[in-house]
Amino acid sequence: MDYEIKTAHMNNLNDIVKLLNTVTLNLHKKNINQWKYPWDTEEIKSNIENKYTYAVFNNEKIIGTFSLKLKSKSSWIPEIDEEILYLHTLAILPEYQKKNIGCKIIDFSHNQAVTLNKPLYLDCWSKNTKLKTFYSNCGFDYIMDYPEEDFEISIFKYH
């Protein structure tokens, strides 16, 4: 499958929000509740304006998205005492999952982290065992579980 990762632009906003809502509803059907539905368009707009968000294109169609953001010491998880590159909001349309796109996104993100000389971190809902296994298989080490508002997230660092 041919696809390309590009920095998202404001003209991608509606497609990215629609994609995130589709993926979130699909996760909720599986009782995976890390993301709230519907997505806050202003949050996604801000991430696009700040050039944190990327879109994965198959021809002209956006089939995936993710964001990369520098986080200063202790601004995310207090126990992580270093500036990091945080990979978040990684979402791929259900019909494009299990096609190695997630690993390519992680490779892209790792290359960005190397360029910036920062460690790469991500998280997921702690009860999502399939995703935790996927992250481990793609080169991440489990660090710890961390409490959020009403659930725990599992923290991973790329090795």
Side-chain angles (χ1 to χ4, degrees):
M1 171 190 306
D2 290 333
Y3 64 91
E4 187 175 7
I5 297 172
K6 298 179 185 177
T7 303
H9 297 281
M10 287 310 299
N11 63 335
N12 305 130
L13 175 64
N14 290 335
D15 289 335
I16 289 173
V17 171
K18 182 179 175 185
L19 181 147
L20 288 168
N21 283 329
T22 298
V23 171
T24 299
L25 288 176
N26 188 57
L27 290 171
H28 287 188
K29 287 179 189 173
K30 299 174 184 176
N31 292 318
I32 299 170
N33 299 307
Q34 180 172 339
W35 291 342
K36 292 183 177 152
Y37 176 87
W39 275 83
D40 178 1
T41 302
E42 289 303 312
E43 177 186 354
I44 304 306
K45 181 180 176 183
S46 174
N47 282 337
I48 291 173
E49 288 173 340
N50 288 304
K51 301 195 181 317
Y52 300 146
T53 298
Y54 295 82
V56 182
F57 290 86
N58 177 257
N59 297 317
E60 298 299 313
K61 180 180 180 178
I62 295 177
I63 61 169
T65 187
F66 62 99
S67 293
L68 291 169
K69 185 184 291 187
L70 283 172
K71 294 269 192 180
S72 60
K73 292 180 180 182
S74 301
S75 70
W76 177 49
I77 306 293
E79 289 83 356
I80 298 173
D81 193 25
E82 60 186 336
E83 187 174 47
I84 66 163
L85 186 61
Y86 174 51
L87 169 58
H88 64 99
T89 322
L90 193 164
I92 300 167
L93 287 172
E95 62 269 29
Y96 291 92
Q97 294 174 5
K98 299 182 181 176
K99 297 184 185 303
N100 205 33
I101 297 168
C103 285
K104 297 295 184 188
I105 289 170
I106 290 170
D107 288 344
F108 178 92
S109 302
H110 174 250
N111 288 335
Q112 296 294 103
V114 168
T115 298
L116 295 169
N117 196 28
K118 303 292 178 200
L120 180 64
Y121 281 81
L122 57 72
D123 63 36
C124 69
W125 189 49
S126 66
K127 293 187 180 357
N128 191 341
T129 55
K130 285 185 181 180
L131 189 55
K132 290 167 65 171
T133 298
F134 169 75
Y135 288 148
S136 293
N137 290 339
C138 286
F140 282 90
D141 292 325
Y142 167 80
I143 303 297
M144 65 180 172
D145 284 346
Y146 192 82
E148 284 288 324
E149 294 170 16
D150 56 352
F151 60 94
E152 286 190 334
I153 57 172
S154 294
I155 310 297
F156 291 83
K157 180 180 181 180
Y158 194 86
H159 63 265

